[in-house]
Amino acid sequence: HRQPVGQGVQSPAAEARPSMAAAVGAGVPPSAAAVPQAAVGTRAPAAADTPATAAAPVAIGVSVVAAVPAAASEACRQWCGRFWGTWCAAVALVGCDVAFPPLVVQGMVEAGFSAQSSVRALNATGALVPSDVRKAIRWAIEQGGREKGFAEFNTSRETKIFEHADFDGYAIKWGNTHRKANAQACADACMKWEPIPPTWFVCNTFVFCGKPKCFAPAALPPGDMTGQCWIKHQEDPSHPQFNMKGRYSDAYRKSHPTAPEVVEWDSGVVVPAGTCDRVSLDTPSARANWR
């Protein structure tokens, strides 16, 4: 399935900066025995998606600013601020009793983990300084395991592609070393990606660049980007968390003069067969508030 993200919600990613933690998931070699899956998705266009809903209030254009629920602890309220608004709103739903230092949060976000996964890992490992981030990432990875990865991999699945969208997720394989001819070929590669150690993560999310350069305010590997196919994992691909989608606002393009009119990436998910129509694109990622 292929779905355009028309007059969608734009959610900028990070300011250009080197990643502190994302490289932990980079450079994992592909499996030597990728097994094809059943029910590969078709190219039939689907109806345009709806804008982001109340699941996480979204400001169109400059940034995503999610209101921290009233149930959030005072500590959480005091340090969240606008920069971590989306992250804090999600964490507040599961409880925020510790004011994690911003650089610690940034490390988990850069590694592609959701707010909920991050707070579980940070709490479990007592990570309160940046040097603890790798320990928290290892803990998060260990919660999956081979059995869980292959259970999802061996399920009959299908793909759905969203044009003009950039999805978040743990990068199992970076796109600068993994190229495909088009978005559908990237989708097929994701479906066939067999879970391997150390993460045993199944690929259920992918991001494709079909141009020599796809705009992103985050720091990316240099060079021609044509064909980059990022192999990723998210906890719930039926509600993929997006960094950016749709059209950039005039205000955003004014502050980022090199930004195009619309997001240049295509992204997609691999979900259980027969569930493509239930995939909803209404959840901004923790990275979506960066600008």
Side-chain angles (χ1 to χ4, degrees), residues 143-157:
Q143 304 316 297
R146 186 179 189 279
E147 183 176 349
K148 183 177 181 180
F150 273 97
E152 183 175 349
F153 176 76
N154 289 322
T155 299
S156 179
R157 299 186 295 160

PDB file of all heavy atoms in Angstrom, residues 143-157:
ATOM      1  N   GLN A 143      15.517  -6.253  26.347  1.00  0.00           N
ATOM      2  CA  GLN A 143      14.124  -6.576  26.668  1.00  0.00           C
ATOM      3  C   GLN A 143      13.414  -7.272  25.520  1.00  0.00           C
ATOM      4  O   GLN A 143      12.326  -7.809  25.692  1.00  0.00           O
ATOM      5  CB  GLN A 143      13.362  -5.295  27.058  1.00  0.00           C
ATOM      6  CG  GLN A 143      13.987  -4.520  28.197  1.00  0.00           C
ATOM      7  CD  GLN A 143      14.446  -5.402  29.338  1.00  0.00           C
ATOM      8  OE1 GLN A 143      13.626  -6.082  29.978  1.00  0.00           O
ATOM      9  NE2 GLN A 143      15.744  -5.410  29.605  1.00  0.00           N
ATOM     10  N   GLY A 144      14.017  -7.232  24.338  1.00  0.00           N
ATOM     11  CA  GLY A 144      13.405  -7.894  23.191  1.00  0.00           C
ATOM     12  C   GLY A 144      13.795  -9.351  23.130  1.00  0.00           C
ATOM     13  O   GLY A 144      13.110 -10.231  23.632  1.00  0.00           O
ATOM     14  N   GLY A 145      14.938  -9.606  22.533  1.00  0.00           N
ATOM     15  CA  GLY A 145      15.431 -10.972  22.466  1.00  0.00           C
ATOM     16  C   GLY A 145      15.049 -11.694  21.183  1.00  0.00           C
ATOM     17  O   GLY A 145      14.180 -11.259  20.416  1.00  0.00           O
ATOM     18  N   ARG A 146      15.723 -12.811  20.962  1.00  0.00           N
ATOM     19  CA  ARG A 146      15.564 -13.576  19.730  1.00  0.00           C
ATOM     20  C   ARG A 146      14.140 -14.074  19.536  1.00  0.00           C
ATOM     21  O   ARG A 146      13.566 -13.971  18.443  1.00  0.00           O
ATOM     22  CB  ARG A 146      16.536 -14.758  19.755  1.00  0.00           C
ATOM     23  CG  ARG A 146      16.581 -15.550  18.463  1.00  0.00           C
ATOM     24  CD  ARG A 146      17.581 -16.693  18.549  1.00  0.00           C
ATOM     25  NE  ARG A 146      17.790 -17.334  17.265  1.00  0.00           N
ATOM     26  CZ  ARG A 146      16.977 -18.243  16.741  1.00  0.00           C
ATOM     27  NH1 ARG A 146      15.900 -18.620  17.415  1.00  0.00           N
ATOM     28  NH2 ARG A 146      17.245 -18.775  15.560  1.00  0.00           N
ATOM     29  N   GLU A 147      13.540 -14.607  20.597  1.00  0.00           N
ATOM     30  CA  GLU A 147      12.200 -15.197  20.470  1.00  0.00           C
ATOM     31  C   GLU A 147      11.179 -14.144  20.041  1.00  0.00           C
ATOM     32  O   GLU A 147      10.366 -14.383  19.149  1.00  0.00           O
ATOM     33  CB  GLU A 147      11.782 -15.823  21.802  1.00  0.00           C
ATOM     34  CG  GLU A 147      10.431 -16.529  21.731  1.00  0.00           C
ATOM     35  CD  GLU A 147      10.081 -17.238  23.036  1.00  0.00           C
ATOM     36  OE1 GLU A 147      10.977 -17.356  23.899  1.00  0.00           O
ATOM     37  OE2 GLU A 147       8.927 -17.664  23.178  1.00  0.00           O
ATOM     38  N   LYS A 148      11.241 -12.986  20.646  1.00  0.00           N
ATOM     39  CA  LYS A 148      10.287 -11.923  20.308  1.00  0.00           C
ATOM     40  C   LYS A 148      10.501 -11.422  18.888  1.00  0.00           C
ATOM     41  O   LYS A 148       9.548 -11.185  18.144  1.00  0.00           O
ATOM     42  CB  LYS A 148      10.421 -10.772  21.312  1.00  0.00           C
ATOM     43  CG  LYS A 148       9.429  -9.650  21.097  1.00  0.00           C
ATOM     44  CD  LYS A 148       9.561  -8.581  22.171  1.00  0.00           C
ATOM     45  CE  LYS A 148       8.552  -7.459  21.960  1.00  0.00           C
ATOM     46  NZ  LYS A 148       8.680  -6.403  23.002  1.00  0.00           N
ATOM     47  N   GLY A 149      11.777 -11.263  18.505  1.00  0.00           N
ATOM     48  CA  GLY A 149      12.071 -10.782  17.165  1.00  0.00           C
ATOM     49  C   GLY A 149      11.568 -11.719  16.086  1.00  0.00           C
ATOM     50  O   GLY A 149      10.932 -11.287  15.114  1.00  0.00           O
ATOM     51  N   PHE A 150      11.816 -13.001  16.245  1.00  0.00           N
ATOM     52  CA  PHE A 150      11.397 -13.961  15.228  1.00  0.00           C
ATOM     53  C   PHE A 150       9.893 -14.200  15.253  1.00  0.00           C
ATOM     54  O   PHE A 150       9.304 -14.561  14.223  1.00  0.00           O
ATOM     55  CB  PHE A 150      12.167 -15.273  15.380  1.00  0.00           C
ATOM     56  CG  PHE A 150      13.473 -15.268  14.642  1.00  0.00           C
ATOM     57  CD1 PHE A 150      14.657 -14.971  15.293  1.00  0.00           C
ATOM     58  CD2 PHE A 150      13.515 -15.512  13.273  1.00  0.00           C
ATOM     59  CE1 PHE A 150      15.857 -14.941  14.614  1.00  0.00           C
ATOM     60  CE2 PHE A 150      14.716 -15.493  12.584  1.00  0.00           C
ATOM     61  CZ  PHE A 150      15.892 -15.203  13.255  1.00  0.00           C
ATOM     62  N   ALA A 151       9.247 -14.015  16.389  1.00  0.00           N
ATOM     63  CA  ALA A 151       7.793 -14.155  16.440  1.00  0.00           C
ATOM     64  C   ALA A 151       7.137 -13.135  15.511  1.00  0.00           C
ATOM     65  O   ALA A 151       6.205 -13.457  14.766  1.00  0.00           O
ATOM     66  CB  ALA A 151       7.297 -13.976  17.870  1.00  0.00           C
ATOM     67  N   GLU A 152       7.629 -11.901  15.540  1.00  0.00           N
ATOM     68  CA  GLU A 152       7.082 -10.876  14.644  1.00  0.00           C
ATOM     69  C   GLU A 152       7.531 -11.116  13.207  1.00  0.00           C
ATOM     70  O   GLU A 152       6.744 -10.981  12.266  1.00  0.00           O
ATOM     71  CB  GLU A 152       7.515  -9.487  15.110  1.00  0.00           C
ATOM     72  CG  GLU A 152       6.931  -8.349  14.291  1.00  0.00           C
ATOM     73  CD  GLU A 152       7.264  -6.960  14.831  1.00  0.00           C
ATOM     74  OE1 GLU A 152       7.781  -6.856  15.971  1.00  0.00           O
ATOM     75  OE2 GLU A 152       7.015  -5.978  14.112  1.00  0.00           O
ATOM     76  N   PHE A 153       8.790 -11.500  13.023  1.00  0.00           N
ATOM     77  CA  PHE A 153       9.327 -11.726  11.685  1.00  0.00           C
ATOM     78  C   PHE A 153       8.573 -12.827  10.942  1.00  0.00           C
ATOM     79  O   PHE A 153       8.308 -12.723   9.741  1.00  0.00           O
ATOM     80  CB  PHE A 153      10.815 -12.088  11.791  1.00  0.00           C
ATOM     81  CG  PHE A 153      11.468 -12.427  10.484  1.00  0.00           C
ATOM     82  CD1 PHE A 153      11.803 -11.429   9.585  1.00  0.00           C
ATOM     83  CD2 PHE A 153      11.755 -13.736  10.157  1.00  0.00           C
ATOM     84  CE1 PHE A 153      12.414 -11.741   8.367  1.00  0.00           C
ATOM     85  CE2 PHE A 153      12.363 -14.064   8.949  1.00  0.00           C
ATOM     86  CZ  PHE A 153      12.690 -13.056   8.055  1.00  0.00           C
ATOM     87  N   ASN A 154       8.210 -13.894  11.640  1.00  0.00           N
ATOM     88  CA  ASN A 154       7.574 -15.040  11.013  1.00  0.00           C
ATOM     89  C   ASN A 154       6.071 -14.881  10.831  1.00  0.00           C
ATOM     90  O   ASN A 154       5.408 -15.754  10.258  1.00  0.00           O
ATOM     91  CB  ASN A 154       7.854 -16.308  11.825  1.00  0.00           C
ATOM     92  CG  ASN A 154       9.306 -16.740  11.709  1.00  0.00           C
ATOM     93  OD1 ASN A 154       9.907 -16.629  10.641  1.00  0.00           O
ATOM     94  ND2 ASN A 154       9.879 -17.227  12.806  1.00  0.00           N
ATOM     95  N   THR A 155       5.513 -13.776  11.304  1.00  0.00           N
ATOM     96  CA  THR A 155       4.098 -13.489  11.089  1.00  0.00           C
ATOM     97  C   THR A 155       3.887 -13.073   9.638  1.00  0.00           C
ATOM     98  O   THR A 155       4.729 -12.400   9.045  1.00  0.00           O
ATOM     99  CB  THR A 155       3.642 -12.338  12.017  1.00  0.00           C
ATOM    100  OG1 THR A 155       3.828 -12.740  13.363  1.00  0.00           O
ATOM    101  CG2 THR A 155       2.185 -11.988  11.782  1.00  0.00           C
ATOM    102  N   SER A 156       2.777 -13.475   9.039  1.00  0.00           N
ATOM    103  CA  SER A 156       2.456 -13.012   7.688  1.00  0.00           C
ATOM    104  C   SER A 156       2.243 -11.501   7.743  1.00  0.00           C
ATOM    105  O   SER A 156       1.409 -11.004   8.506  1.00  0.00           O
ATOM    106  CB  SER A 156       1.180 -13.703   7.187  1.00  0.00           C
ATOM    107  OG  SER A 156       0.853 -13.251   5.887  1.00  0.00           O
ATOM    108  N   ARG A 157       3.013 -10.748   6.947  1.00  0.00           N
ATOM    109  CA  ARG A 157       2.995  -9.290   7.060  1.00  0.00           C
ATOM    110  C   ARG A 157       2.852  -8.631   5.685  1.00  0.00           C
ATOM    111  O   ARG A 157       3.005  -9.263   4.651  1.00  0.00           O
ATOM    112  CB  ARG A 157       4.291  -8.800   7.737  1.00  0.00           C
ATOM    113  CG  ARG A 157       4.487  -9.334   9.144  1.00  0.00           C
ATOM    114  CD  ARG A 157       5.701  -8.703   9.825  1.00  0.00           C
ATOM    115  NE  ARG A 157       6.954  -9.061   9.178  1.00  0.00           N
ATOM    116  CZ  ARG A 157       8.095  -8.375   9.320  1.00  0.00           C
ATOM    117  NH1 ARG A 157       8.122  -7.278  10.060  1.00  0.00           N
ATOM    118  NH2 ARG A 157       9.200  -8.789   8.727  1.00  0.00           N
TER     119      ARG A 157
END
